[in-house]
Amino acid sequence: MPRPVSRRVFLAGAASAFAVACSGDDAAPASTTTTSLPSSTTILNSTASTTTTRATVAAPPFDVAGNPFALGVASGEPLADSVVLWTRLAPDPADPNGGMPDQLFDVAYDISTDADFATIVSSGLDVADFDYAHSVHVEPGNLEPATTYFYRFRIGEYTSPTGRTRTLPAEGTDAFRFALTTCQDPQFGEYAAWADIAADDELDAVIFTGDYIYELPPLDFSPEGDGRRAWTSPPPSDLAGFRLRYAQVKQDPSLQAAHSTHPFFTMWDDHEITDNYWADGPGQFDSAGGDFESRRVAAYQAWWEHQPARAPAPTRSGHRLHRSVRVGDLAEFYLIDTRQFADEPPCRDTSVFDLGEGCAERDDPDRTLLGEEQVAWLTDGLRSSTARWTSLVSPSMFAGLDAREPGTDVAKYYLEAWDGYPAERERVAEALSAAANPIVLSGDYHASFVLDVGPGFGHDVICPEVMATAISSSPFATDFTAANPHVKYFVGDNGYTKCTVTADGWRADYRSVADIWDPASPLEDVASFEFPAR
Ligand code: FE
Ligand code: CA
């Protein structure tokens, strides 16, 4: 796989004692396996001591006008000994290049166990590269498990907001709490749900299943008609266009607060590129039009530039994003990519927006949603996981839904999701059945659901599916439960689902936004479910 040129900066212990290596990866010490590209950083301490107070690195020079941290900070992909720290230098977010010149910049970072940085665990430099929108992805190692850390970035006279993050446990089955979230189209409302998540000190992490941006045209749905939440750029078709969409949402203070308070596990769905796209083409409603392949490459890069992603930068050939996350002995999460490798949804000649009646093509046993490599990885993983809980995190509904018009007798399905790929769903369902305490988590639908997985496609109950509704995207309120007895709960609202996982049970609290156009709207628990472990 071709790798972008990277520059590594090593620190040998104190602020004055660092050396810069410009020639690529060879200078990395053998003990360092962090490979975030294009920029990558090695941490100073090889002794893994987190009790020694270390000096901070001096802030590198910065001669660009304006606060470079306008898009905030974020952390993500925590492990038991590491977490990815993110920022992007963008003093002018309305500019596709963030108002930054075509230069490399060093950025200093500090990690501490206290909010006022009295005890520095690590301090170092990372490189912000013009070719990647001056995004920074730092991967400090040697952190302690199940520990809260604070971090910040510095350049010139500027210090970023302080972020807080938390590593995963290395072992044991202590409770793990996270917010399950999806779909944050700003055009349909404010981010009160993110403010609520930011204020919840109990959370260990956030799982976002996709639709972080939307490619749709600018529209104003605000009750005041003031256009305050409308997209300020046209449907994106190139890198500049996608960067503008990310920069717009990332200026929201509530989203910034959520990112700076909890580590995120982020997956993409379709709208990060274009509605209902598949491996080689767009869906039936294609806002931007134009060459799909170059759009996909640009969209994946812009996604990476704006997420605390552990994976290296995407290449032209694609981006492996499916991965598993182990939380001690308590749970293993399998996050899957249901767009990048998918066959074209069936029956596009008879369906509208991929909602249509079943057809012969749908039942083709060779049709794939995940691609051969991913489905093999997933089914092997589900079968062999040794954690107490095994969770499939699917960007779209797994359990299936007969979306016939209420009162009619002709079944209809969302054919771009699992209902369009029933043979492959059988393979995954079989592996889920063999897993320890399986549970499916999902998003995308813009409604809150609890479903039984299995009866929707001809099986006994295999496990529950917890589907979070949209943070802000327009809810789908049509109630299909009459034709779907495996739907145990349905509300077309906005909000998210808080999950509390213990060895004994999996609790799901559905939190609902009272007024989607009030950025300070309260949320309330509208339903709670407890799924006992077997
Ligand atoms: Fe969505
Ligand atoms: Ca979606």
Side-chain angles (χ1 to χ4, degrees):
M1 189 187 298
R3 308 171 98 192
V5 174
S6 74
R7 184 165 66 131
R8 290 166 183 271
V9 181
F10 300 106
L11 243 71
S16 59
F18 67 87
V20 179
C22 296
S23 57
D25 301 317
D26 294 343
S31 61
T32 301
T33 56
T34 56
T35 53
S36 174
L37 298 178
S39 56
S40 173
T41 302
T42 302
I43 305 308
L44 55 111
N45 55 338
S46 57
T47 57
S49 166
T50 56
T51 53
T52 307
T53 298
R54 296 174 185 277
T56 60
V57 174
F62 186 66
D63 56 3
V64 182
N67 173 16
F69 299 112
L71 302 183
V73 299
S75 73
E77 307 291 339
L79 301 172
D81 63 351
S82 166
V83 64
V84 178
L85 309 179
W86 173 95
T87 193
R88 177 188 163 201
L89 306 180
D92 180 7
D95 173 65
N97 296 321
M100 293 288 289
D102 185 358
Q103 289 171 233
L104 297 174
F105 286 85
D106 285 333
V107 183
Y109 62 87
D110 307 314
I111 305 163
S112 174
T113 47
D114 55 273
D116 54 3
F117 294 88
T119 305
I120 300 288
V121 172
S122 287
S123 185
L125 297 174
D126 198 22
V127 176
D129 187 338
F130 178 83
D131 290 344
Y132 291 89
H134 293 100
S135 59
V136 177
H137 299 78
V138 178
E139 297 182 44
N142 292 328
L143 302 180
E144 297 293 321
T147 301
T148 296
Y149 289 95
F150 299 86
Y151 62 94
R152 65 187 178 194
F153 297 92
R154 292 175 290 110
I155 188 169
E157 66 189 279
Y158 297 98
T159 299
S160 75
T162 294
R164 190 182 79 189
T165 191
R166 189 167 172 80
T167 50
L168 297 181
E171 56 188 13
T173 55
D174 286 350
F176 182 70
R177 299 176 180 85
F178 64 95
L180 180 67
T181 64
T182 178
C183 293
Q184 56 166 2
D185 192 340
Q187 299 205 125
F188 291 93
E190 298 279 356
Y191 285 169
W194 283 129
D196 191 73
I197 288 167
D200 188 343
D201 286 337
E202 282 190 345
L203 296 175
D204 296 297
V206 172
I207 296 178
F208 187 85
T209 67
D211 290 356
Y212 196 94
I213 59 162
Y214 283 71
E215 82 292 1
L216 303 173
L219 293 166
D220 179 21
F221 297 107
S222 67
E224 300 83 1
D226 58 8
R228 69 185 189 274
R229 298 291 282 176
W231 293 114
T232 55
S233 56
S237 60
D238 58 12
L239 191 51
F242 284 106
R243 284 173 175 171
L244 289 175
R245 291 278 166 123
Y246 283 98
Q248 184 174 344
V249 296
K250 279 190 165 286
Q251 289 175 77
D252 184 281
S254 296
L255 177 59
Q256 285 194 11
H259 272 299
S260 68
T261 309
H262 309 295
F264 275 47
F265 296 97
T266 305
M267 179 48 75
W268 57 35
D269 193 28
D270 55 335
H271 288 288
E272 281 84 350
I273 296 86
T274 187
D275 181 60
N276 286 3
Y277 85 95
W278 55 287
D280 294 323
Q284 294 169 311
F285 180 71
D286 193 19
S287 297
D291 178 61
F292 174 76
E293 177 58 17
S294 61
R295 224 183 328 160
R296 185 183 67 83
V297 170
Y300 285 7
Q301 178 170 333
W303 177 90
W304 184 87
E305 290 170 349
H306 293 86
Q307 299 295 349
R310 185 175 292 279
T315 66
R316 281 203 71 81
S317 60
H319 190 53
R320 178 182 162 140
L321 203 52
H322 56 276
R323 60 210 190 272
S324 63
V325 176
R326 181 150 179 131
V327 179
D329 305 311
L330 181 66
E332 184 128 26
F333 295 83
Y334 290 84
L335 287 83
I336 59 170
D337 179 343
T338 58
R339 301 290 178 179
Q340 184 175 189
F341 309 108
D343 285 339
E344 186 169 20
C347 320
R348 276 199 159 158
D349 52 341
T350 57
S351 62
V352 177
F353 299 152
D354 294 313
L355 177 62
E357 300 168 19
C359 58
E361 184 188 357
R362 174 176 175 256
D363 296 317
D364 179 343
D366 294 329
R367 292 178 46 68
T368 185
L369 183 66
L370 303 182
E372 205 45 46
E373 186 275 332
Q374 186 181 195
V375 78
W377 163 85
L378 175 63
T379 53
D380 286 353
L382 292 175
R383 282 199 181 87
S384 60
S385 175
T386 56
R388 178 86 172 141
W389 293 92
T390 310
S391 179
L392 171 62
V393 183
S394 172
S396 56
M397 183 188 285
F398 186 79
L401 190 74
D402 177 349
R404 71 181 67 192
E405 304 300 327
T408 67
D409 56 4
V410 180
K412 280 189 167 184
Y413 299 99
Y414 292 102
L415 296 165
E416 103 290 358
W418 284 102
D419 277 330
Y421 305 78
E424 188 161 285
R425 179 166 55 191
E426 286 295 323
R427 291 178 64 186
V428 176
E430 201 176 295
L432 261 183
S433 304
N437 287 307
I439 183 168
V440 176
L441 309 178
S442 58
D444 166 65
Y445 193 102
H446 307 182
S448 300
F449 278 92
V450 174
L451 308 102
D452 281 338
V453 172
F457 49 96
H459 286 259
D460 292 338
V461 176
I462 296 168
C463 69
E465 176 168 343
V466 169
M467 176 184 270
T469 191
I471 291 282
S472 60
S473 303
S474 178
F476 287 103
T478 306
D479 188 344
F480 295 118
T481 51
N484 296 273
H486 62 291
V487 173
K488 300 303 174 189
Y489 175 70
F490 165 82
V491 174
D493 59 353
N494 285 111
Y496 68 97
T497 304
K498 177 178 179 177
C499 290
T500 302
V501 189
T502 67
D504 297 331
W506 188 298
R507 182 184 171 96
D509 293 308
Y510 284 73
R511 291 185 62 72
S512 191
V513 178
D515 177 1
I516 194 62
W517 287 102
D518 176 5
S521 171
L523 277 77
E524 53 183 318
D525 279 328
V526 287
S528 295
F529 299 85
E530 180 88 27
F531 308 105
R534 291 197 290 256

